[in-house]
């Protein structure tokens, strides 16, 4: 047992998960959101398709880890997904939740965030049973069983994957991360515009992706 280990789990897993859940609950209550679903094929916003696809990848990876009793591997996958959920999906989708009108795009954003929250707490329940139970009990509908620990473990659904989009986002995120690192090295603030930015790659496919994104 390590106190530093507990602090690390709080910092990288439990608090970020709670923040994502808190964001959803705050705005869902404001908008009186009623739980509904949007089929993956009908999702119009690429960010929605990407995070749902990534959540299916998470299910596949964590299932393999738990089956092999590789707790560290499974937990690392969950931590990585929650980082993507908070720092990429939610951060870049906030304006969709803030809008006053309840249009189709806003509904799909709510449906998507609700779905992926349910997915991540389901795969994380074996390692953080109490936090996931608290979240589940507040998110559950009357038709759902009383406890997350009475639910079936989620099954991987390949038809809800968009591997091409996942690759596009991964390459784009890598470029942005490298850019932010270079800004830090040269003491250039994030909001300070650059006169020129060079992205160098020998991969023609990556070049096309970076240009389009």
């Amino acid at each position: 047992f390590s106190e530093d280990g507990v602090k690390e789990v709080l910092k990288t897993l439990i608090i970020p998960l709670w923040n994502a859940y808190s964001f959803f609950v705050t705005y869902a209550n404001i908008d009186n959101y009623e739980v509904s679903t949007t089929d993956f094929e009908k999702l119009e916003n690429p960010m929605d398709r990407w995070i749902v696809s990534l959540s299916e990848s998470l299910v596949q990876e964590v299932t393999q880890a738990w089956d092999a009793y590789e707790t560290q591997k499974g937990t690392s996958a969950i931590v990585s997904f929650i980082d993507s959920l908070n720092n990429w999906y939610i951060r870049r989708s906030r304006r969709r939740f803030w809008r006053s009108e309840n249009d189709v795009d806003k509904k799909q954003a709510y449906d998507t965030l609700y779905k992926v929250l349910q997915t991540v707490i389901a795969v994380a329940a074996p390692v953080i049973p109490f936090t996931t139970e608290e979240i589940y009990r507040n998110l559950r509908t009357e038709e759902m069983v009383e406890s997350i620990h009475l639910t079936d473990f989620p099954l991987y659904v390949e038809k809800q994957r968009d591997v091409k989009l996942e690759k596009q986002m991964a390459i784009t995120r890598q470029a942005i991360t490298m850019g932010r690192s270079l800004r830090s090295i040269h003491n250039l603030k994030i909001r300070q515009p650059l006169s020129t930015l060079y992205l160098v790659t020998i991969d023609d496919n990556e070049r096309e992706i970076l240009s389009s994104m």
Side-chain angles (χ1 to χ4, degrees):
F1 174 79
S2 164
E3 287 190 6
D4 288 339
V6 173
K7 292 177 182 177
E8 185 67 17
V9 170
L10 275 170
K11 178 182 175 183
T12 62
L13 178 57
I14 295 178
I15 292 176
L17 173 60
W18 194 267
N19 287 342
Y21 156 72
S22 179
F23 176 89
F24 172 82
V25 169
T26 297
Y27 290 98
N29 284 334
I30 290 172
D31 288 323
N32 295 315
Y33 169 73
E34 294 184 7
V35 174
S36 60
T37 58
T38 301
D39 293 337
F40 183 71
E41 299 77 17
K42 294 181 179 179
L43 291 174
E44 299 174 0
N45 192 299
M47 292 298 293
D48 293 342
R49 292 182 59 84
W50 168 69
I51 199 64
V52 170
S53 181
L54 204 65
S55 72
E56 288 301 327
S57 176
L58 174 71
V59 170
Q60 184 181 44
E61 190 172 354
V62 175
T63 298
Q64 293 171 352
W66 289 173
D67 286 348
Y69 296 97
E70 295 179 339
T71 309
Q72 183 63 45
K73 184 177 180 181
T75 305
S76 294
I78 295 168
V79 168
S80 177
F81 177 82
I82 293 173
D83 177 69
S84 297
L85 179 62
N86 275 319
N87 294 321
W88 291 90
Y89 178 76
I90 291 178
R91 183 169 290 183
R92 282 152 185 79
S93 300
R94 285 182 296 193
R95 293 183 184 278
R96 301 168 65 197
F97 294 93
W98 292 345
R99 286 207 303 264
S100 56
E101 63 272 16
N102 291 313
D103 56 12
V104 173
D105 181 66
K106 190 174 186 179
K107 176 188 178 299
Q108 291 190 0
Y110 273 120
D111 289 352
T112 297
L113 185 51
Y114 181 84
K115 175 182 173 64
V116 297
L117 280 172
Q118 288 285 11
T119 299
V120 72
I121 63 172
V123 299
V127 286
I128 45 172
F130 302 113
T131 302
T132 52
E133 177 74 354
E134 179 71 16
I135 293 173
Y136 175 85
R137 289 199 176 197
N138 194 35
L139 294 183
R140 65 180 284 267
T141 61
E142 292 183 0
E143 297 77 24
M144 297 164 66
V145 296
E146 183 179 358
S147 169
I148 193 170
H149 304 295
L150 297 175
T151 64
D152 293 330
F153 195 82
L155 297 175
Y156 172 65
V157 182
E158 188 173 4
K159 67 179 182 179
Q160 293 191 17
R161 289 289 300 280
D162 189 334
V163 178
K164 181 180 179 181
L165 180 58
E166 286 182 44
K167 182 179 179 181
Q168 289 175 335
M169 283 295 294
I171 292 171
T172 303
R173 290 177 64 182
Q174 182 184 26
I176 293 171
T177 300
M178 291 170 65
R180 294 183 65 178
S181 178
L182 285 168
R183 279 180 175 272
S184 178
I185 291 171
H186 296 283
N187 200 27
L188 293 170
K189 295 180 180 179
I190 293 295
R191 295 182 181 275
Q192 180 179 339
L194 302 176
S195 59
T196 309
L197 172 68
Y198 295 98
L199 296 171
V200 181
T201 174
I202 60 172
D203 189 319
D204 290 337
N205 185 42
E206 286 189 3
R207 190 177 297 111
E208 289 178 10
I209 290 172
L210 288 169
S211 296
S212 67
M213 300 293 276

